[in-house]
Amino acid sequence: MSTVAPPSPPAARGESDRKVLQRDPNPHLFRPVTFRSVTARNRIMVSPMCQYSAIDGVPDDWHFQNLASRAVGGAGIVFVEMTNVEARGRITAGCMGLWNDAQRDALARIARFVKSQGAVAGIQLAHAGRKASTARPWEGGKGLKPEQGGWPIIGPSAVPFGESYPVPEAMDEKTIADIVSKFAASTRRAREAGFDVVELHGAHGYLISSFLSPISNQRSDRYGGSFENRSRFLLEVVNAVRPEWPDDKPLFVRISCTDWMEGGWNLDDSVKLAQILKAGGKVDLVDCSSGAVDPRQKINLYPGYQVPFAAAIRSRAGIATGAVGLISSPEMAEQIVASGQADLVVMARAFLNDPYWPLHAAKVLKAKIAWPKQYERGDIF
């Protein structure tokens, strides 16, 4: 497992004899990082980004080029978008899945190419829960009833995500056990497809997240009420997944560190959960996002607004973290890693804007990294 280390000391050659500052030729952002036996070439992670373009959960050439270009662009870890463990768990009809072998084989092609370019291939496994059965964002993004092309959905309680969303069926313990087993089966297929890292999506109001939050979890049995009960589903998924995943490969968990709502899940809860995950020895990194559990949330957005969550969990739980949240500048990314706030910088929108963000960031930070040989002629600007 990885261990959380303090930030490296300043470079010894930080100032010349004439008191002229010199940039570190090996910026922290571009230093390798190892989780178990898997080493990423730098601290830059492509966040899972839904494309809403799969057919029956199967990725096609769009998904291949989307992920391949980010690997060519120099990212250390390239994550496949939120990939669901059953058809019922998709956000939209265009979301990806890993509940059958055809999906596995299509994903294997992507994993092979990503790895061939020197990046680590990661996949995020998920279930949308009460936020499933919606239209694609460019088609309105609202909840769909069966007569509108939607499907029945499930959740910890019969509480809809919002007024325009269908009411989920409250899961009984048999259904809970079935979904746990489906996470394990998808993990097995991820292993067979050749991925290096699995991340469990426990954030953004999807199924695992909705069990954690008292806003969406109104159960009175052993899966609801207390912190321990609300955490039970996630821990059962972790325990079921780990035997299907090689001991020498890392497991990440993404969480919403706060619901941004009074009476909801908060940072202290997240730290406590991270401490439990650290002590269990099965999870290697907490990917620190927030919100999206309830549309009534109140978020103050600004670049790096979620970085303090990653810093707090890293410091207080002693587990590696990923920082995410409107990070786009190379200087900010370098500061986050160099100051020890997080082990990885996780970016989504910045990569939608620029697939080659790492190559361009290296120039800003004056890091010496190799461009793909096929693109070397472009390294002149």
Side-chain angles (χ1 to χ4, degrees), residues 16-50:
S16 73
D17 293 339
R18 296 176 57 205
K19 306 301 181 185
V20 177
L21 291 176
Q22 298 181 8
R23 293 289 288 267
D24 188 337
N26 183 27
H28 293 74
L29 188 63
F30 287 93
R31 297 179 186 179
V33 61
T34 299
F35 301 98
R36 300 193 186 227
S37 69
V38 176
T39 298
R41 58 190 169 188
N42 57 50
R43 308 301 182 98
I44 303 166
M45 174 177 144
V46 177
S47 187
M49 295 179 282
C50 290

Side-chain angles (χ1 to χ4, degrees), residues 40-264:
R41 58 190 169 188
N42 57 50
R43 308 301 182 98
I44 303 166
M45 174 177 144
V46 177
S47 187
M49 295 179 282
C50 290
Q51 301 295 294
Y52 310 105
S53 301
I55 303 297
D56 295 327
V58 179
D60 60 15
D61 287 348
W62 175 265
H63 302 86
F64 181 86
Q65 69 77 29
N66 177 56
L67 296 160
S69 62
R70 275 76 193 170
V72 170
I77 306 176
V78 177
F79 259 89
V80 174
E81 68 187 75
M82 174 175 167
T83 304
N84 300 287
V85 301
E86 67 168 357
R88 179 173 50 177
R90 294 170 297 165
I91 305 171
T92 76
C95 288
M96 289 212 314
L98 191 49
W99 63 82
N100 64 44
D101 292 350
Q103 296 160 345
R104 176 200 63 192
D105 296 344
L107 283 162
R109 175 190 177 217
I110 293 172
R112 283 194 302 270
F113 186 84
V114 166
K115 294 164 72 169
S116 77
Q117 300 306 301
V120 170
I123 186 166
Q124 184 188 70
L125 300 179
H127 191 295
R130 70 177 189 156
K131 294 178 74 174
S133 187
T134 70
R136 293 173 176 85
W138 52 83
E139 295 170 346
K142 299 298 183 181
L144 298 176
K145 297 177 182 178
E147 59 269 23
Q148 297 172 312
W151 53 90
I153 61 174
I154 57 175
S157 304
V159 179
F161 175 67
E163 291 183 3
S164 63
Y165 289 80
V167 177
E169 178 185 355
M171 299 164 65
D172 59 22
E173 293 205 8
K174 180 179 179 182
T175 305
I176 290 173
D178 177 60
I179 299 301
V180 169
S181 69
K182 285 176 176 173
F183 269 97
S186 291
T187 302
R188 172 179 56 79
R189 289 192 172 94
R191 182 188 75 234
E192 294 167 351
F195 285 96
D196 302 307
V197 187
V198 159
E199 177 173 272
L200 301 176
H201 198 341
H204 302 164
Y206 300 124
L207 188 61
I208 292 174
S209 173
S210 66
F211 268 90
L212 293 173
S213 173
I215 299 293
S216 47
N217 185 344
Q218 299 180 9
R219 303 175 72 97
S220 58
D221 64 357
R222 65 194 188 102
Y223 289 94
S226 67
F227 169 91
E228 289 74 19
N229 284 355
R230 287 182 283 111
S231 303
R232 190 183 307 277
F233 179 59
L234 168 59
L235 298 179
E236 287 182 353
V237 172
V238 169
N239 289 336
V241 159
R242 190 73 253 190
E244 294 289 353
W245 194 237
D247 286 341
D248 66 343
K249 289 189 175 184
L251 177 66
F252 295 177
V253 173
R254 171 169 277 199
I255 63 172
S256 283
C257 295
T258 176
D259 289 342
W260 298 103
M261 290 182 64
E262 186 176 349

